[in-house]
mmCIF file of all heavy atoms in Angstrom:
data_model
loop_
_atom_site.group_PDB
_atom_site.id
_atom_site.type_symbol
_atom_site.label_atom_id
_atom_site.label_comp_id
_atom_site.label_asym_id
_atom_site.label_seq_id
_atom_site.Cartn_x
_atom_site.Cartn_y
_atom_site.Cartn_z
ATOM 1 N N GLU A 121 22.208 74.026 -196.902
ATOM 2 C CA GLU A 121 21.064 74.616 -196.202
ATOM 3 C C GLU A 121 20.689 73.793 -194.983
ATOM 4 O O GLU A 121 20.334 74.327 -193.937
ATOM 5 C CB GLU A 121 19.875 74.710 -197.158
ATOM 6 C CG GLU A 121 20.107 75.640 -198.340
ATOM 7 C CD GLU A 121 18.898 75.637 -199.256
ATOM 8 O OE1 GLU A 121 17.931 74.928 -198.937
ATOM 9 O OE2 GLU A 121 18.929 76.342 -200.286
ATOM 10 N N LEU A 122 20.794 72.477 -195.107
ATOM 11 C CA LEU A 122 20.453 71.602 -193.997
ATOM 12 C C LEU A 122 21.413 71.805 -192.835
ATOM 13 O O LEU A 122 21.009 71.895 -191.671
ATOM 14 C CB LEU A 122 20.482 70.151 -194.474
ATOM 15 C CG LEU A 122 20.095 69.076 -193.460
ATOM 16 C CD1 LEU A 122 18.678 69.336 -192.969
ATOM 17 C CD2 LEU A 122 20.205 67.704 -194.078
ATOM 18 N N ASN A 123 22.711 71.879 -193.145
ATOM 19 C CA ASN A 123 23.694 72.095 -192.084
ATOM 20 C C ASN A 123 23.469 73.426 -191.392
ATOM 21 O O ASN A 123 23.591 73.551 -190.172
ATOM 22 C CB ASN A 123 25.109 72.038 -192.666
ATOM 23 C CG ASN A 123 25.445 70.661 -193.189
ATOM 24 O OD1 ASN A 123 24.896 69.661 -192.725
ATOM 25 N ND2 ASN A 123 26.340 70.600 -194.172
ATOM 26 N N GLU A 124 23.134 74.473 -192.188
ATOM 27 C CA GLU A 124 22.903 75.792 -191.607
ATOM 28 C C GLU A 124 21.681 75.795 -190.706
ATOM 29 O O GLU A 124 21.697 76.370 -189.618
ATOM 30 C CB GLU A 124 22.731 76.812 -192.736
ATOM 31 C CG GLU A 124 22.541 78.244 -192.224
ATOM 32 C CD GLU A 124 22.386 79.216 -193.379
ATOM 33 O OE1 GLU A 124 22.480 78.775 -194.548
ATOM 34 O OE2 GLU A 124 22.177 80.411 -193.114
ATOM 35 N N SER A 125 20.605 75.120 -191.154
ATOM 36 C CA SER A 125 19.380 75.091 -190.340
ATOM 37 C C SER A 125 19.603 74.346 -189.045
ATOM 38 O O SER A 125 19.111 74.739 -187.990
ATOM 39 C CB SER A 125 18.251 74.441 -191.126
ATOM 40 O OG SER A 125 18.557 73.100 -191.413
ATOM 41 N N VAL A 126 20.357 73.241 -189.103
ATOM 42 C CA VAL A 126 20.600 72.475 -187.885
ATOM 43 C C VAL A 126 21.485 73.238 -186.930
ATOM 44 O O VAL A 126 21.269 73.254 -185.720
ATOM 45 C CB VAL A 126 21.212 71.106 -188.237
ATOM 46 C CG1 VAL A 126 21.654 70.377 -186.982
ATOM 47 C CG2 VAL A 126 20.224 70.276 -189.018
ATOM 48 N N SER A 127 22.504 73.938 -187.463
ATOM 49 C CA SER A 127 23.364 74.722 -186.585
ATOM 50 C C SER A 127 22.602 75.865 -185.939
ATOM 51 O O SER A 127 22.809 76.192 -184.762
ATOM 52 C CB SER A 127 24.562 75.264 -187.384
ATOM 53 O OG SER A 127 24.104 76.120 -188.419
ATOM 54 N N ASN A 128 21.689 76.492 -186.696
ATOM 55 C CA ASN A 128 20.874 77.555 -186.112
ATOM 56 C C ASN A 128 19.963 77.025 -185.026
ATOM 57 O O ASN A 128 19.782 77.647 -183.979
ATOM 58 C CB ASN A 128 20.045 78.236 -187.203
ATOM 59 C CG ASN A 128 20.908 79.022 -188.179
ATOM 60 O OD1 ASN A 128 22.020 79.432 -187.836
ATOM 61 N ND2 ASN A 128 20.400 79.226 -189.380
ATOM 62 N N SER A 129 19.370 75.848 -185.285
ATOM 63 C CA SER A 129 18.487 75.275 -184.269
ATOM 64 C C SER A 129 19.270 74.876 -183.034
ATOM 65 O O SER A 129 18.778 74.976 -181.922
ATOM 66 C CB SER A 129 17.765 74.047 -184.830
ATOM 67 O OG SER A 129 18.690 73.019 -185.145
ATOM 68 N N ASP A 130 20.516 74.430 -183.229
ATOM 69 C CA ASP A 130 21.336 74.079 -182.070
ATOM 70 C C ASP A 130 21.558 75.285 -181.180
ATOM 71 O O ASP A 130 21.469 75.200 -179.954
ATOM 72 C CB ASP A 130 22.691 73.524 -182.524
ATOM 73 C CG ASP A 130 22.526 72.147 -183.157
ATOM 74 O OD1 ASP A 130 21.415 71.581 -183.032
ATOM 75 O OD2 ASP A 130 23.494 71.653 -183.760
ATOM 76 N N SER A 131 21.849 76.438 -181.802
ATOM 77 C CA SER A 131 22.096 77.634 -181.004
ATOM 78 C C SER A 131 20.827 78.141 -180.355
ATOM 79 O O SER A 131 20.842 78.641 -179.229
ATOM 80 C CB SER A 131 22.701 78.730 -181.893
ATOM 81 O OG SER A 131 21.819 79.058 -182.946
ATOM 82 N N GLN A 132 19.679 77.994 -181.060
ATOM 83 C CA GLN A 132 18.428 78.468 -180.501
ATOM 84 C C GLN A 132 17.939 77.584 -179.373
ATOM 85 O O GLN A 132 17.335 78.045 -178.425
ATOM 86 C CB GLN A 132 17.353 78.526 -181.600
ATOM 87 C CG GLN A 132 17.651 79.565 -182.665
ATOM 88 C CD GLN A 132 16.652 79.484 -183.796
ATOM 89 O OE1 GLN A 132 15.772 78.641 -183.809
ATOM 90 N NE2 GLN A 132 16.796 80.359 -184.770
ATOM 91 N N LEU A 133 18.227 76.285 -179.469
ATOM 92 C CA LEU A 133 17.716 75.364 -178.472
ATOM 93 C C LEU A 133 18.646 75.214 -177.288
ATOM 94 O O LEU A 133 18.431 74.388 -176.417
ATOM 95 C CB LEU A 133 17.485 73.987 -179.105
ATOM 96 C CG LEU A 133 16.391 73.959 -180.168
ATOM 97 C CD1 LEU A 133 16.355 72.591 -180.830
ATOM 98 C CD2 LEU A 133 15.048 74.288 -179.548
ATOM 99 N N GLY A 134 19.709 75.985 -177.263
ATOM 100 C CA GLY A 134 20.558 75.980 -176.089
ATOM 101 C C GLY A 134 21.410 74.740 -175.972
ATOM 102 O O GLY A 134 21.457 74.115 -174.920
ATOM 103 N N PHE A 135 22.094 74.356 -177.062
ATOM 104 C CA PHE A 135 22.969 73.211 -177.006
ATOM 105 C C PHE A 135 24.340 73.573 -176.435
ATOM 106 O O PHE A 135 25.269 72.799 -176.484
ATOM 107 C CB PHE A 135 23.152 72.613 -178.407
ATOM 108 C CG PHE A 135 22.096 71.635 -178.758
ATOM 109 C CD1 PHE A 135 20.910 71.581 -178.031
ATOM 110 C CD2 PHE A 135 22.274 70.751 -179.803
ATOM 111 C CE1 PHE A 135 19.928 70.674 -178.342
ATOM 112 C CE2 PHE A 135 21.289 69.848 -180.130
ATOM 113 C CZ PHE A 135 20.122 69.805 -179.399
ATOM 114 N N LEU A 136 24.468 74.787 -175.942
ATOM 115 C CA LEU A 136 25.699 75.173 -175.281
ATOM 116 C C LEU A 136 25.790 74.476 -173.933
ATOM 117 O O LEU A 136 24.789 74.022 -173.383
ATOM 118 C CB LEU A 136 25.728 76.697 -175.095
ATOM 119 C CG LEU A 136 25.732 77.502 -176.393
ATOM 120 C CD1 LEU A 136 25.654 78.986 -176.069
ATOM 121 C CD2 LEU A 136 26.952 77.193 -177.236
ATOM 122 N N PRO A 137 26.977 74.367 -173.367
ATOM 123 C CA PRO A 137 27.094 73.688 -172.084
ATOM 124 C C PRO A 137 26.227 74.365 -171.033
ATOM 125 O O PRO A 137 26.231 75.578 -170.870
ATOM 126 C CB PRO A 137 28.591 73.829 -171.758
ATOM 127 C CG PRO A 137 29.254 73.977 -173.089
ATOM 128 C CD PRO A 137 28.283 74.747 -173.934
ATOM 129 N N GLU A 138 25.451 73.545 -170.306
ATOM 130 C CA GLU A 138 24.580 74.047 -169.275
ATOM 131 C C GLU A 138 25.221 73.876 -167.909
ATOM 132 O O GLU A 138 26.090 73.042 -167.709
ATOM 133 C CB GLU A 138 23.238 73.288 -169.309
ATOM 134 C CG GLU A 138 22.478 73.479 -170.599
ATOM 135 C CD GLU A 138 21.179 72.701 -170.582
ATOM 136 O OE1 GLU A 138 20.955 71.960 -169.598
ATOM 137 O OE2 GLU A 138 20.398 72.841 -171.537
ATOM 138 N N GLU A 139 24.757 74.687 -167.014
ATOM 139 C CA GLU A 139 25.238 74.586 -165.648
ATOM 140 C C GLU A 139 24.679 73.322 -165.014
ATOM 141 O O GLU A 139 23.503 73.020 -165.111
ATOM 142 C CB GLU A 139 24.793 75.822 -164.856
ATOM 143 C CG GLU A 139 25.314 75.839 -163.437
ATOM 144 C CD GLU A 139 24.870 77.089 -162.696
ATOM 145 O OE1 GLU A 139 24.284 77.965 -163.354
ATOM 146 O OE2 GLU A 139 25.107 77.158 -161.480
ATOM 147 N N ASP A 140 25.554 72.567 -164.360
ATOM 148 C CA ASP A 140 25.130 71.311 -163.762
ATOM 149 C C ASP A 140 24.125 71.568 -162.648
ATOM 150 O O ASP A 140 24.299 72.464 -161.816
ATOM 151 C CB ASP A 140 26.344 70.560 -163.198
ATOM 152 C CG ASP A 140 27.277 70.090 -164.305
ATOM 153 O OD1 ASP A 140 26.790 69.938 -165.438
ATOM 154 O OD2 ASP A 140 28.477 69.893 -164.024
ATOM 155 N N GLU A 141 23.050 70.759 -162.643
ATOM 156 C CA GLU A 141 22.020 70.852 -161.623
ATOM 157 C C GLU A 141 22.027 69.575 -160.796
ATOM 158 O O GLU A 141 22.122 68.477 -161.348
ATOM 159 C CB GLU A 141 20.645 71.065 -162.250
ATOM 160 C CG GLU A 141 20.492 72.391 -162.955
ATOM 161 C CD GLU A 141 19.097 72.540 -163.533
ATOM 162 O OE1 GLU A 141 18.783 71.810 -164.488
ATOM 163 O OE2 GLU A 141 18.329 73.369 -163.017
ATOM 164 N N LYS A 142 21.906 69.730 -159.509
ATOM 165 C CA LYS A 142 21.837 68.584 -158.625
ATOM 166 C C LYS A 142 20.381 68.322 -158.261
ATOM 167 O O LYS A 142 19.628 69.241 -157.972
ATOM 168 C CB LYS A 142 22.665 68.831 -157.359
ATOM 169 C CG LYS A 142 24.165 68.974 -157.632
ATOM 170 C CD LYS A 142 24.935 69.178 -156.339
ATOM 171 C CE LYS A 142 26.429 69.298 -156.608
ATOM 172 N NZ LYS A 142 27.196 69.494 -155.352
#
Side-chain angles (χ1 to χ4, degrees):
E121 296 178 1
L122 182 59
N123 294 334
E124 182 180 357
S125 63
V126 172
S127 62
N128 292 336
S129 64
D130 290 349
S131 60
Q132 294 174 358
L133 294 174
F135 273 16
L136 297 176
E138 297 179 355
E139 183 179 353
D140 293 336
E141 294 181 291
K142 295 182 179 180

